[in-house]
Amino acid sequence: MREIESTRDRYVDLLRVFSLGVVVLGHWLMAVVAVGDDGVARAGNVLAVVPALQPATWLLQVMPVFFFVGGFSHAVAWSSVRRRGGRYADFVRSRAGRLLRPTAAFAAVWLVLALGIEVAGADRGVLRLATRVVAQPLWFIGVYLGVVALAPAMLRLHRRAGRLAPLVPVALGAAAVAVDVARFGHDVPFIGFANVAFVWLAVHQAGFLYADGSLRPGRPTGFVLAGVGLAGTVALTTIGGYPTSMVGVPGERVSNMSPPTAALLACAVLQIGLVLLARGPLTRWLRRPAVWRGVVTANGLSMTTFLWHLTGLFVVSAATLALGVGQPPAGSAAWWLSRPVWIALLLVPTAALVVLFRRADRPRPARVPAAGAAGRRHRTPLAAAGMLLCTAGVLGVSAVGFGGVLAGRTATLVVVPVTPLASVLLLAAGAGLLRLTRPGLPLP
């Protein structure tokens, strides 16, 4: 197993942009906002109307690709930080900051908007729906922050395993299967949430294997992983009784995503295999200067786009409903034919929001303390506590949204009741602790 080198893999940048872009496009295509006769706005899902589309989520639910890419990026970043004399606090502050800055801007703006809507007595219809569900995609950022916090320890485990390192994600996958057996076979309450760690850490650990060359791109490995993943996904969603869709569908008793299941893990293996198969031709394509410039530009805007794309959806939905412009029945031929126009409409407010908030998405140079700097030993517990609070805050926001602050609205995160204001304050407190770990010496 070779040492991980701090070299840029253009393919990884493409995969990061691709995975977030597919999530945005998927939400725009699947979501159906409608107001019923009772005046209540509801968000539906075309996958519930057209179940035949659900197998498409095996390729379009690409969050496993993002966590796989994250494993590669964290391995390279940790090696770079350690070579410069940095430690845990420097790593998590740098990696989390890229997520927290745009997320903090999003949360602050939406909390103020939700308060204004409630004070104005306009907390109804599409506005009410928006304030409650616009933050749901933040679950991914919350889980990813938790993975960032654990990345140095998991990378240490990876390196100590040596030649047995490929068995680490296998063991995590086996633990995920055991959790599902306890959850579905023996009705053990709440144990399913352990798979938030086991499934995503298994995929993330595979990224370490890609970073050090143990997981080699190309046909042999790619075909094996894709074949095994496809066979497992088909078996689990047919004879295994798991839902076909890899995203939550209204009316389904079980979701493969919340919490993640063994079926999602099998689908992740399929996607990793396809990623390895596609690396050669796509890497050659990325050598074109125009293509690479496009990927670099998109990378600088991808997180802001992800955060604000549902806001764009609700802006257009509110406008069309106010104008009395209805949409064709979801899944009909007219509905499909109208999708290009619908996507074009959604791009307008989303692009405006990205331009407005893009500065928060800019990376900043990592910093490490000078040799012998005072207070170094205190930074690790501060950073760990900061990451814990940020993770809890973001997950709380994703669960409860921003609406109903003055009414005392709550939601349950696993077993803990959370409110919009408390969740945002947890996020702010965690970011403050991370800020306290900043050294004075910038990296070259």
Side-chain angles (χ1 to χ4, degrees):
M1 188 164 56
R2 66 176 174 83
E3 181 67 21
I4 296 170
E5 299 176 358
S6 183
T7 56
R8 193 169 194 92
D9 187 328
R10 291 187 175 190
Y11 187 47
V12 165
D13 289 284
L14 175 64
L15 291 175
R16 185 182 296 112
V17 171
F18 169 78
S19 57
L20 289 178
V22 169
V23 170
V24 170
L25 185 61
H27 285 166
W28 282 353
L29 286 174
M30 290 188 303
V32 180
V33 178
V35 177
D37 296 335
D38 56 0
V40 177
R42 297 177 177 85
N45 192 319
V46 72
L47 294 176
V49 180
V50 190
L53 294 175
Q54 293 182 12
T57 61
W58 300 358
L59 297 179
L60 299 180
Q61 171 47 281
V62 289
M63 276 302 145
V65 175
F66 195 93
F67 280 86
F68 174 70
V69 166
F72 172 91
S73 300
H74 294 157
V76 173
W78 176 246
S79 296
S80 176
V81 167
R82 292 299 292 160
R83 277 197 303 272
R84 290 164 171 79
R87 295 188 179 181
Y88 177 83
D90 308 300
F91 171 81
V92 297
R93 187 184 60 254
S94 173
R95 302 306 296 180
R98 182 70 187 272
L99 297 172
L100 290 174
R101 283 187 294 273
T103 301
F106 172 81
V109 169
W110 260 106
L111 185 62
V112 172
L113 281 175
L115 280 169
I117 289 169
E118 194 171 4
V119 169
D123 190 21
R124 58 184 178 273
V126 176
L127 291 179
R128 181 181 181 86
L129 178 66
T131 58
R132 283 151 176 77
V133 306
V134 74
Q136 283 184 358
L138 266 64
W139 72 263
F140 142 70
I141 294 177
V143 173
Y144 196 78
L145 286 170
V147 170
V148 169
L150 295 173
M154 299 306 295
L155 186 58
R156 193 176 303 116
L157 174 62
H158 168 83
R159 288 172 170 167
R160 287 181 177 177
R163 294 182 180 275
L164 298 179
L167 295 180
V168 177
V170 173
L172 289 168
V177 172
V179 165
D180 274 8
V181 170
R183 176 186 175 189
F184 299 119
H186 302 282
D187 295 322
V188 178
F190 305 115
I191 195 170
F193 291 100
N195 273 352
V196 174
F198 290 138
V199 170
W200 295 121
L201 285 176
V203 178
H204 185 259
Q205 207 77 11
F208 294 162
L209 297 173
Y210 176 71
D212 68 16
S214 300
L215 192 59
R216 297 181 179 180
R219 292 186 176 182
T221 306
F223 276 127
V224 169
L225 290 178
V228 170
L230 179 60
T233 304
V234 171
L236 289 171
T237 56
T238 52
I239 61 176
Y242 286 86
T244 301
S245 174
M246 292 300 145
V247 300
V249 176
E252 290 277 6
R253 186 179 61 85
V254 174
S255 167
N256 280 318
M257 276 297 297
S258 181
T261 64
L264 180 66
L265 184 59
C267 189
V269 174
L270 164 63
Q271 292 183 10
I272 291 171
L274 295 176
V275 162
L276 297 180
L277 287 171
R279 186 183 187 277
L282 288 179
T283 299
R284 290 189 292 271
W285 181 60
L286 286 167
R287 292 172 186 163
R288 300 179 182 181
V291 173
W292 177 235
R293 283 196 299 271
V295 171
V296 171
T297 301
N299 239 327
L301 304 173
S302 58
M303 187 54 63
T304 301
T305 304
F306 170 81
L307 286 165
W308 291 98
H309 75 282
L310 284 188
T311 305
L313 172 68
F314 283 116
V315 167
V316 174
S317 296
T320 55
L321 288 170
L323 293 171
V325 180
Q327 290 200 51
S332 66
W335 186 85
W336 282 110
L337 290 173
S338 67
R339 289 311 86 190
V341 175
W342 179 247
I343 297 299
L345 288 174
L346 297 179
L347 282 171
V348 175
T350 304
L353 289 165
V354 169
V355 170
L356 186 61
F357 294 103
R358 70 185 188 279
R359 290 190 177 183
D361 207 358
R362 292 179 179 175
R364 299 180 184 180
R367 304 165 77 93
V368 299
R376 285 173 64 107
R377 68 177 183 271
H378 301 302
R379 297 190 314 133
T380 295
L382 277 177
M387 291 299 291
L388 178 63
L389 292 178
C390 286
T391 300
V394 174
L395 289 176
V397 170
S398 73
V400 73
F402 300 102
V405 175
L406 300 179
R409 180 171 174 267
T410 64
T412 302
L413 179 63
V414 187
V415 294
V416 179
V418 292
T419 66
L421 185 58
S423 298
V424 172
L425 289 176
L426 279 177
L427 173 59
L433 290 180
L434 289 175
R435 190 176 179 85
L436 291 176
T437 69
R438 291 188 310 167
L441 181 67
L443 285 173

